[in-house]
Amino acid sequence: MHAPESERDELYVDHVYDMIVVSNRLPVDYREGPDGTTVWNSSPGGLVTALEPVMRAADGAWIGWAGVADREFAPFEHDGISIIPVPLTADELEDYYEGFSNDTLWPLYHDVIAPPSFHREWWEAYVRVNRRFAEAAARAASDGAVVWVQDYQLQLVPRMLRESRPDLVIGFFNHIPFPAYGIYSQLPWRRQVIDGLLGADVIGFQRAADAGNFSRAVRRLFGYSTHGTIIDVPDDRGEPRRVVARHFPISIDTAGFEELAHRPDVQERAREIRESLGNPETIMLGVDRLDYTKGIRHRIKAFGELLRDERLRVEDVTLVQVASPSRERVETYRQLRDEIELAVGRLNGDYSTLEHQAIAYLHHGYPREEMVALYLAADVMLVTALRDGMNLVAKEYVACRFDDDGVLLLSEFTGASDELRQAVLVNPHDIEGLKDAIVEAIRMPKRERSRRMRALRKRVRDNDVAHWSASFLETLTGAGIIKPGVSDPLQAAINRMAGTERLLVALDFDGTLAPLVDRPEDARATDRARAAIERLGAADDTRVAIVSGRALESLGQVASPPEGTLLSGSHGVELQLDPAGVTIDLRESETAKLERLGSIVEEVASGADGAWIEHKPAGLALHTRRLTSTAGTALQHTARNRVEAELLGITVRTGKSVLEFAVRSSDKGESLTRLRQHVGATAVMYVGDDVTDEDAFATLDAEDVGVKVGQGKSIATYRVRSPEDVAELLERLADARDAAREAPSRWP
């Protein structure tokens, strides 16, 4: 049952907050004490670990369900964080959570591994509960607060919040996959869900492929313009509001897992686990929620066939399968548990001996210390998910292996496979391939195991959960105090890319290399920046490019670029590559259009004294400032009509007493892509300060580094304060490149 709306208002509004996290569940678990009192215990998890320090610093609150149906709880403080519980009835728990969230969205978003169910009453409950969460956040948020909504259960909240509180900065992170449009389109409420998500300023996904699937769904369903990670969503006045949809791969509290793994009692427990299993040569481990997406049946089938075919012996290899209970009120999950327990029983009956069990099957959860002991005891970690947004178990295993031993066998259908490339990657649907991969993992030489694990551990250390939350919030807010110099996260990014085989450093000019000045022709790069560019460009494995909106002629005059510097002018239309001649990046069809465009506009302008034409690399401008206002407007109108009637695909822009035509609407993103291809870069650093640089940031890959100079919203992951800090950044990059060249082994 619900409290009346007026009571709930009273419940939630005793204070407002600058930072709010909204999730289906609170970061605390409810239990009733022996004397009937309410007791709250912290829920262990990476999300809580990542956000607790942020929320404490920003006067934050966490909004979510307490995990108990038909109960109202007043807001309270827990471990320095304000907690605002949102109530759910038993019926809503059944329809909104178990129904629409977990029997409609979950299977649909996991590529229909199990068939989704579509019920209108479930959808109605989903809308009703999402609105309750949105109202709670709106009441608790201060003016201009940041609200970060978590996961698929609350996809309608961003739009509801934007409608009631347009002053808010709204982010959303989807922790599970987002499917291809052919699958997503089955959802009867597909437009409503997409529209709900587009209420956010930044929508985060685990994988670049998920973000791409979302953008394609937006184009198919709404026809909105998308470019890279940017979606232009019209507001009430038809003006575009820029929404960022990109991947921010989540991670774990790496340091916390490493600390546990080093504890003597945990290491002793790992030895006890091996002893209790009969000290087999190899222990394989699977750790999963009991869910049909995790591929538990596939790994059991593969292991059983390996024993049957005598490629493995039960005396030598044991599989430990931890399957923690999950959604056991849902019939699909009850059936899955029965199937797996039946398969385990058959396999153990066929192959176990008195001394050695084939599969140790454990259907319950464990505290973190016990899980770390299991990770240390396991020689091979099996992650065979059929579809998974990330799979943090893979990262936890890697974080715990401080001994640089152990083998991670990882499904290519997990988000983790995008980052953990040194794992043994498998297609779990291919049972023969999975069997071969298991044998490869078991028999892998120690030297190869160590080489792979070192590379995996470096990746997990450098991209921990704090890095994930920081990168998302920096993209979302684009505000705050920017400290001078180079931040620790940016220095870590420099160190990561320092050893790349072929590096492209691409730099905006005005406001980035050169301080902004009143007269554009007076702009000059700082001496420190120029010296650092010369250092970087002197090496064969590094190229430097200056990417500007200026025409190349102007850029060459003010930048005086060092020899070998690549140049891009006019927002990518003009390129100066190797050899030093200028390339106008136009296709044959565009060149023909440009010639015809010139003929049309010259013909129109020839009858008007005082009109003149300025020719540009990919277009031209008709200037009418010497004409009267009436005559100039009429001439522009005539020129526009003639061009639009005779040529398709021409971009037209109106300025003050000028009408501009272009055969291509190029941008810095297209320019950066061309430069990357020309250089053959294995990694790119792009630094810029202007809104036009966002197009370049949008093209960057996961291994690249984007740096925004100064304030303002940006999709760049990192920031520096001024051109002086850009110079320091370039100096540090040059130092790191030098150090990487001198290292015994440059690439793992």
Side-chain angles (χ1 to χ4, degrees), residues 382-451:
L382 299 180
V383 178
T384 58
L386 308 180
R387 191 77 165 93
D388 215 335
M390 177 52 63
N391 195 288
L392 295 179
V393 164
K395 295 186 175 184
E396 291 173 2
Y397 179 72
V398 169
C400 292
R401 298 311 302 239
F402 65 88
D403 56 355
D404 288 337
D405 204 355
V407 180
L408 173 63
L409 188 149
L410 181 61
S411 166
E412 62 193 50
F413 303 117
T414 64
S417 69
D418 289 352
E419 301 176 90
L420 305 182
R421 305 302 296 176
Q422 292 298 320
V424 177
L425 299 178
V426 296
N427 173 3
H429 297 282
D430 175 11
I431 299 298
E432 288 299 324
L434 178 56
K435 287 157 60 179
D436 291 342
I438 290 173
V439 173
E440 176 192 351
I442 290 172
R443 297 177 179 170
M444 186 177 291
K446 179 170 177 48
R447 184 174 179 181
E448 177 68 4
R449 297 198 305 266
S450 295
R451 184 192 69 81

Side-chain angles (χ1 to χ4, degrees), residues 105-113 151-152 155 172-180 183-184 197 204-214 289 291 293-294 385-391 413-416:
L105 293 176
W106 179 269
L108 185 74
Y109 281 27
H110 286 85
D111 292 349
V112 196
I113 294 170
D151 223 0
Y152 65 104
Q155 292 175 103
F172 181 92
F173 188 79
N174 194 61
H175 291 259
I176 68 173
F178 193 90
I183 292 174
Y184 178 76
L197 291 170
F205 298 91
Q206 300 280 26
R207 310 180 78 172
D210 297 329
N213 288 341
F214 177 77
R289 279 191 311 102
D291 191 283
T293 65
K294 301 300 183 181
L386 308 180
R387 191 77 165 93
D388 215 335
M390 177 52 63
N391 195 288
F413 303 117
T414 64

Side-chain angles (χ1 to χ4, degrees), residues 102-125:
N102 292 323
D103 205 13
T104 300
L105 293 176
W106 179 269
L108 185 74
Y109 281 27
H110 286 85
D111 292 349
V112 196
I113 294 170
S117 302
F118 304 113
H119 298 293
R120 284 171 290 184
E121 60 271 23
W122 289 1
W123 165 252
E124 291 164 0

